[in-house]
């Protein structure tokens, strides 16, 4: 891997040789995303500063120094989730050092992981999704420019096209926002009904493209054909994709027009909504894992709250349960009357 690419995540400060080698391994062998590399670089820089105050380096730290470091995170008020991510980084770093023969052990294995709560994913109801899509509706025939007012009208109309295509694809396919913004026009060539998506770690998967999503994407492509951008959602410069911040602004406008609190509407909430509604309508958990691009089904299991609700409704709709609710006797031992 070129040195410049490996140093980029740590561009805001120096790293020692072992840390740089670790980051290079993550990028070259595991295909770690830039955001992941930057987060790990910051974590290990923080550890380096803590170790330096004790006259040590990360490479020669022992479990006592690491335990003291984790205690400083608690004292600083960092969340349990952030502490867990830091600990995961340390374990991977010292495992790398052990495998490279730089040290004989992994002192981070002796540290206790913070207890994490398991919050249920936030999602929108189907009626709220319908309201968002309705808020994107408008005349696809964008007027010709003729003065300042027309430019504003044209800009608003195009933003509706972008919002409609993005929402249709996000909700129909469950893409991550990074995957959505990286979509290229050539991926929708011909009569394609499936999208090839490059997900985390460079893992590719096929996801279905609904008829509504296809129509919305085609309308946007037709409008933007003069831009000659390779991206379905081009940014201010046609050769680059729309930024997350730019899309967040469009999504906020749509949420307000739909009468929803913008704080409740985000690309990840739409992804959660896709998964939740799929399960509620009978989708298989394993199939959902493939659609979402989860490497481990344990990640997909956060959505089993939907399955639990379906089981509860099934039990309550059972004839014996209904009879028990009416106070009928002799129906069955499992559902005695009050």
């Amino acid at each position: 891997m070129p040195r410049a690419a490996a140093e980029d995540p740590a561009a805001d400060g120096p790293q020692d040789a072992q840390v740089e080698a670790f980051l290079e391994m993550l990028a070259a062998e595991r295909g770690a995303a830039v955001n992941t590399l930057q987060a790990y670089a910051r974590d290990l820089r923080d550890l380096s500063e803590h170790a330096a105050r004790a006259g040590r380096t990360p490479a020669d730290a022992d479990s006592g120094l690491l335990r003291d470091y984790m205690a400083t995170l608690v004292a600083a008020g960092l969340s349990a989730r952030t502490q867990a991510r830091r600990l995961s980084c340390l374990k991977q770093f010292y495992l790398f050092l052990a495998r490279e023969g730089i040290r004989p052990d992994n002192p981070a294995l002796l540290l206790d992981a913070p207890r994490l709560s398991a919050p249920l994913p936030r999602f929108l109801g189907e009626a709220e999704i319908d309201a968002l899509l309705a808020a994107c509706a408008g005349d696809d025939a964008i007027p010709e420019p003729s003065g300042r007012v027309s430019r504003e009208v044209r800009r608003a109309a195009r933003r509706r096209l972008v919002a409609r295509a993005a929402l249709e694809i996000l909700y129909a396919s469950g893409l991550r926002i990074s995957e959505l913004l990286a979509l290229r026009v050539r991926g929708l060539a011909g009569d394609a009904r499936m999208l090839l998506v490059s997900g985390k770690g460079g893992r590719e998967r096929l996801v279905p493209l609904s008829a509504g999503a296809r129509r919305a994407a085609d309308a946007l492509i037709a409008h933007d054909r003069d831009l000659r951008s390779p991206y379905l959602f081009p940014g201010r410069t046609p050769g680059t994709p729309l930024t997350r911040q730019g899309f967040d602004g469009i999504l906020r406008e749509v949420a307000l027009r739909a009468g929803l609190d913008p704080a409740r509407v985000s690309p990840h909430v739409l992804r959660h909504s896709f998964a939740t509604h799929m399960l509620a309508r009978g989708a298989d958990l394993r199939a959902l894992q493939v659609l979402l691009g989860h490497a481990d089904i344990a990640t997909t299991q956060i959505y089993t709250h939907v399955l639990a609700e379906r089981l509860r409704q099934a039990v309550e709709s059972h004839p014996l349960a209904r009879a028990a609710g009416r106070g009928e006797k002799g129906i069955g031992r499992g559902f005695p009357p009050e």
Side-chain angles (χ1 to χ4, degrees):
M1 178 181 181
R3 173 68 60 177
E7 290 177 351
D8 183 59
D12 54 346
Q15 294 284 358
D16 64 28
Q18 289 83 8
V19 171
E20 287 189 3
F22 171 63
L23 296 175
E24 287 181 354
M25 180 277 295
L26 290 179
E29 298 181 14
R30 301 187 188 177
V34 172
N35 287 345
T36 300
L37 294 175
Q38 291 175 340
Y40 278 18
R42 288 192 297 270
D43 293 347
L44 292 172
R45 186 179 301 109
D46 192 43
L47 172 65
S48 296
E49 293 171 356
H50 178 82
R53 288 192 287 272
R56 310 281 289 276
T57 68
D60 63 14
D62 57 20
S63 59
L65 186 145
L66 296 182
R67 191 173 289 109
D68 181 58
Y69 170 68
M70 295 300 294
T72 66
L73 303 184
V74 177
L78 271 64
S79 69
R81 190 164 298 279
T82 299
Q83 294 172 46
R85 182 178 61 75
R86 295 274 182 105
L87 179 57
S88 174
C89 172
L90 296 183
K91 287 181 177 179
Q92 294 182 63
F93 174 61
Y94 287 106
L95 176 61
F96 167 75
L97 295 185
R99 286 177 174 173
E100 293 294 308
I102 298 173
R103 60 177 298 148
D105 63 344
N106 184 343
L109 291 178
L110 300 176
L111 304 182
D112 295 327
R115 290 190 176 184
L116 294 176
S117 59
L120 294 177
R122 294 181 295 120
F123 61 95
L124 301 174
E126 293 186 27
E128 291 175 312
I129 295 291
D130 289 340
L132 286 174
L133 293 173
C136 301
D139 186 0
D140 288 347
I142 299 179
E144 293 298 321
S146 59
R148 179 177 177 80
V149 173
S150 289
R151 284 198 299 272
E152 292 175 352
V153 170
R154 286 172 59 80
R155 179 175 177 272
R158 184 184 179 277
R159 287 170 76 86
R160 285 199 300 270
L161 289 179
V162 171
R164 180 80 189 197
L167 288 173
E168 288 275 10
I169 295 173
L170 282 174
Y171 181 60
S173 304
L175 300 188
R176 301 177 179 92
I177 182 59
S178 58
E179 297 168 345
L180 176 83
L181 298 181
L183 289 177
R184 293 178 176 258
V185 173
R186 68 170 181 265
L188 289 94
D191 193 32
R193 288 293 180 266
M194 302 290 287
L195 282 175
L196 180 63
V197 177
S198 179
K200 286 187 175 180
R203 292 187 297 271
E204 293 185 335
R205 70 186 189 278
L206 286 171
V207 297
L209 189 66
S210 69
R214 177 75 209 209
R215 287 193 298 270
D218 286 345
L220 180 59
I221 291 171
H223 175 267
D224 286 349
R225 60 182 177 273
D226 291 339
L227 296 179
R228 301 184 184 279
S229 173
Y231 295 100
L232 177 58
F233 300 101
R236 291 181 181 275
T237 302
T240 61
L242 180 67
T243 64
R244 294 190 184 194
Q245 293 81 0
F247 180 71
D248 287 344
I250 293 174
L251 192 57
R252 176 180 174 79
E253 291 175 6
V254 174
L256 290 172
R257 286 202 301 271
L260 300 178
D261 180 358
R264 295 183 56 233
V265 183
S266 71
H268 216 61
V269 166
L270 293 170
R271 179 171 159 89
H272 287 325
S273 302
F274 159 80
T276 300
H277 298 167
M278 287 281 288
L279 277 179
R281 291 180 175 273
D284 175 77
L285 197 63
R286 183 70 68 177
L288 189 61
Q289 176 194 358
V290 174
L291 291 172
L292 292 172
H294 289 159
D296 189 341
I297 198 170
T299 308
T300 318
Q301 287 172 342
I302 62 171
Y303 299 107
T304 54
H305 70 97
V306 180
L307 299 180
E309 177 64 16
R310 283 168 53 196
L311 287 174
R312 183 189 66 78
Q313 293 176 355
V315 169
E316 291 183 352
S317 66
H318 193 284
L320 299 184
R322 292 199 302 270
R326 292 193 298 268
E328 298 178 8
K329 297 181 179 180
I331 298 299
R333 290 178 295 175
F335 299 91
E338 294 289 332

